Amino acid sequence: MTIEVNVETFHETSLQPNLLDRDAFLTGLLNQFSASEKSGWVQQSKNDAVKWVRHSVIPNTRDEEWRFTDLSPLKKVTFNSVGTIHELSLTDDFVLPEVAHRLVFVNGVFAANLSNTENLPAGLKVGNLDVLGDDVAEKYLAQSEGTRDVFTALNTAGLNDVAVVLVGKNVIVENPIHLLFISVAAEGAIISQPRCLVVAESNSQLSLIEEFITGNGEYLTGKMPVPQEQQVYFNNSVTEIWVNENAQVNHNRIVLESNAAFHIGKTAVTQARYSRYTCNAVTVGGKISRHNLDILQTGEQTETTLNGLTVIADKQLADTHSAISLNHPHGVSKQLHKCIIGDRAHGVFNGKIFVPKPAQLTDAAQLNRNLLLSSKARIDTKPQLEITADNVKCAHGATVSQLEDDEIFYLQSRGIDETDARKLLVNAFAAEIINLIPVSSLREKLIKTVITITNK
């Protein structure tokens, strides 16, 4: 089996707006957005973002950060915003029975009748833009570092609502909060732009499940369902998470998109001193998907744990870009990202860790492990360290492999046939990440999905 792998050293460029160019694709999307006025800071942020987007362009493979991710298929589609959605209901597949509180957005529109924000513990606010005061919005919304890129600005330009989770000082939230973003396909291609703001005040604790999933087309005014292979839509999501002093956030990000969908997501995390942030990210499906994960350390002695799993097949492309900026002493960062790639699919991983001179006594580790199930599968992996501090413990690496014949033979010698042996090994590879998800029903669903994808 031939394995195609590309490991490269560090080189970075930044995307800046070009004041002489207008991108027709972006202009068309801006024209779809509602012109409704918002209050105070929200409207100001929208106006600033519109100006930015009007003089920006969609990145292409000549840009270093996008050299392995060709967005030309995205630009060939004409996307429209979708109007009011009627007669919605949640099936058992969408509900997590272990989770009491839930926010549901359908094609980016808040669905109050499907959400459950009753009996919240004291000190916890969960809702949409209505629960976000101007003072909190001005302090946190669209204020994260690293949100000045074209897709994040596009999301802000079209912002009409926000999923909001605010945890007060010294508040410990025992049960996870479920943020469910459902994409319901229409006859034409649609764009939705989910937005999420999470603020954990000092000494608080929170567990969050952020899930992107495909709905059923019959929800749209009684029309017949659109087959999944034809469910073309574009999810452009942005999540800002603020982890204040000595706070703890466990963030579980699940992407289960249609195989014809486009998904570009930004997660921007700001960590104050002594804070702890964990992200367990699982991505399955999508014609083209990309997750940009940016971590900014603003105080000493933080802990950051990033676990990721990507499962793709057919001709799908999945890209994970992470950047961890450890700017203060005694920071700890651990990252493990796994990819399972079958058929002619293409995986991309680019993980950057920055350790400048003030960040002495930093302990950072990064590993990308890839399992190729086909001779045509491809992975481009680029783990990176940029270190100028002289008293640190840092390591990074990447591995690329296929299923080992001796492991399959060993299982066969125990009475397991070859097909089941392969399934067992693939599931074990994925389970290391999936088992970190704190909700058992979601873990079971993800395991079943992985089995389905990898055994086609």
Side-chain angles (χ1 to χ4, degrees), residues 391-412:
N391 186 9
V392 299
K393 179 182 178 182
C394 295
H396 71 302
T399 65
V400 182
S401 64
Q402 60 192 69
L403 294 176
E404 298 292 341
D405 291 338
D406 56 347
E407 294 176 345
I408 295 174
F409 176 77
Y410 174 81
L411 293 174
Q412 287 181 291

Side-chain angles (χ1 to χ4, degrees), residues 227-381:
Q228 188 180 55
E229 63 273 10
Q230 300 176 20
Q231 293 181 6
V232 180
Y233 56 87
F234 176 24
N235 253 343
N236 180 36
S237 71
V238 174
T239 298
E240 294 179 277
I241 300 177
W242 297 81
V243 193
N244 287 302
E245 184 175 337
N246 200 37
Q248 177 175 325
V249 173
N250 186 313
H251 178 208
N252 303 275
R253 186 179 190 272
I254 313 300
V255 177
L256 300 170
E257 298 284 25
S258 157
N259 290 341
F262 301 90
H263 181 104
I264 295 178
K266 164 62 74 70
T267 301
V269 182
T270 305
Q271 285 190 253
R273 64 176 184 170
Y274 311 137
S275 65
R276 300 168 300 283
Y277 171 76
T278 298
C279 181
N280 303 313
V282 179
T283 299
V284 180
K287 182 175 183 178
I288 296 177
S289 63
R290 171 152 168 156
H291 183 207
N292 298 300
L293 177 55
D294 292 341
I295 311 293
L296 176 65
Q297 180 200 44
T298 62
E300 69 273 12
Q301 209 164 324
T302 62
E303 295 181 15
T304 307
T305 305
L306 307 182
N307 303 297
L309 174 66
T310 298
V311 184
I312 50 176
D314 300 323
K315 296 182 180 179
Q316 296 171 316
L317 187 153
D319 183 348
T320 298
H321 267 59
S322 65
I324 306 173
S325 299
L326 301 171
N327 301 314
H328 298 269
H330 299 282
V332 177
S333 169
K334 306 296 181 184
Q335 181 176 21
L336 171 62
H337 189 86
K338 290 186 167 187
C339 297
I340 302 175
I341 307 170
D343 300 326
R344 295 175 177 268
H346 180 192
V348 181
F349 173 78
N350 184 193
K352 297 184 285 290
I353 299 177
F354 301 100
V355 187
K357 195 171 185 62
Q360 302 294 333
L361 299 172
T362 290
D363 183 356
Q366 178 189 77
L367 178 61
N368 173 220
R369 296 182 60 196
N370 304 283
L371 181 61
L372 305 188
L373 304 180
S374 164
S375 61
K376 300 296 184 180
R378 177 184 171 191
I379 177 70
D380 288 291
T381 178

Side-chain angles (χ1 to χ4, degrees), residues 100-143:
H101 301 114
R102 177 179 62 245
L103 285 181
V104 180
F105 287 73
V106 182
N107 291 346
V109 179
F110 179 57
N113 61 314
L114 304 180
S115 303
N116 183 3
T117 58
E118 298 179 353
N119 302 317
L120 294 172
L124 172 65
K125 289 185 178 181
V126 178
N128 67 334
L129 194 57
D130 294 339
V131 306
L132 187 65
D134 280 345
D135 55 337
V136 178
E138 186 170 355
K139 185 176 181 180
Y140 293 112
L141 187 64
Q143 293 298 298

Side-chain angles (χ1 to χ4, degrees), residues 380-449:
D380 288 291
T381 178
K382 194 169 138 182
Q384 304 172 216
L385 291 175
E386 183 176 295
I387 304 171
T388 54
D390 52 19
N391 186 9
V392 299
K393 179 182 178 182
C394 295
H396 71 302
T399 65
V400 182
S401 64
Q402 60 192 69
L403 294 176
E404 298 292 341
D405 291 338
D406 56 347
E407 294 176 345
I408 295 174
F409 176 77
Y410 174 81
L411 293 174
Q412 287 181 291
S413 69
R414 295 299 185 268
I416 302 174
D417 64 40
E418 182 178 356
T419 300
D420 288 339
R422 290 180 176 274
K423 292 180 182 179
L424 187 62
L425 292 172
V426 171
N427 292 343
F429 186 85
E432 183 179 2
I433 304 299
I434 293 177
N435 286 340
L436 299 172
I437 304 296
V439 178
S440 60
S441 61
L442 184 55
R443 291 196 300 268
E444 293 172 5
K445 180 171 70 173
L446 291 173
I447 287 292
K448 292 178 180 178
T449 302

Side-chain angles (χ1 to χ4, degrees), residues 90-104 114 116 175-182 207-213 252-254 256 437-446:
L90 287 183
T91 67
D92 292 340
D93 292 338
F94 294 165
V95 175
L96 301 178
E98 304 94 331
V99 178
H101 301 114
R102 177 179 62 245
L103 285 181
V104 180
L114 304 180
N116 183 3
N175 297 315
I177 307 296
H178 189 196
L179 307 181
L180 181 60
F181 299 97
I182 306 175
S207 181
L208 185 73
I209 298 173
E210 182 183 24
E211 186 176 10
F212 301 87
I213 197 166
N252 303 275
R253 186 179 190 272
I254 313 300
L256 300 170
I437 304 296
V439 178
S440 60
S441 61
L442 184 55
R443 291 196 300 268
E444 293 172 5
K445 180 171 70 173
L446 291 173

